Amino acid sequence: MTTIELVRDKRRFYTLVDGHAGYDDAGRDIVCAGVSALTYALAAGLNDCGVLLKYESGDGREEMYGAGGAARVLFRTFELAVQELARQYPEHVRVNGTVQ
C-alpha cells in the first residue's frame, strides 16, 4: 500500500509518499504510476515556482517541503488528486492528514 502523509504548519507544507501500491506487478502497476506522476508533478511545480524548500527521494519514498501561497495551491491540488486515487483504490492508497 502507498501511504501519503500531508501536513500544513502555518504557511509551510509537507508530504511524504511511501510504499508501493501493490495493485499489479512492478512496472505494470497503474496505481503506483499515478501516484508517482502526481508526486513528480508536485515537485516540479514547487521547483518551478521557487517554493520548494526540500526534496528527498529514494527507496520508494518521496519527501518534500514547500512554503507560501503557490505551495499551498500546488499541495492542495496534489491532495485532491491523491484523495481521488485513494477513493478509487482504497486497498492500495491511503491519505493521512490535510494541507487545507
Side-chain angles (χ1 to χ4, degrees):
M1 174 173 286
T2 298
T3 303
I4 301 157
E5 302 288 335
L6 295 162
V7 177
R8 178 181 181 175
D9 179 19
K10 297 182 184 173
R11 294 192 52 83
R12 284 183 43 153
F13 304 90
Y14 167 79
T15 190
L16 170 65
V17 179
D18 191 27
H20 180 70
Y23 181 78
D24 202 345
D25 295 332
R28 298 175 48 101
D29 192 326
I30 61 169
V31 177
C32 198
V35 171
S36 294
L38 292 168
T39 303
Y40 295 142
L42 173 60
L46 292 168
N47 189 55
D48 187 63
C49 291
V51 296
L52 180 62
L53 301 177
K54 178 182 177 183
Y55 177 69
E56 292 185 8
S57 176
D59 295 327
R61 291 173 53 107
E62 304 290 326
E63 182 176 11
M64 67 191 87
Y65 291 86
R72 184 189 68 77
V73 171
L74 291 164
F75 271 93
R76 180 63 177 143
T77 302
F78 174 76
E79 178 180 6
L80 293 169
V82 294
Q83 283 175 341
E84 181 59 24
L85 280 176
R87 187 188 69 73
Q88 291 183 29
Y89 302 96
E91 306 269 324
H92 305 282
V93 178
R94 179 182 316 134
V95 179
N96 299 320
T98 184
V99 296
Q100 186 173 0

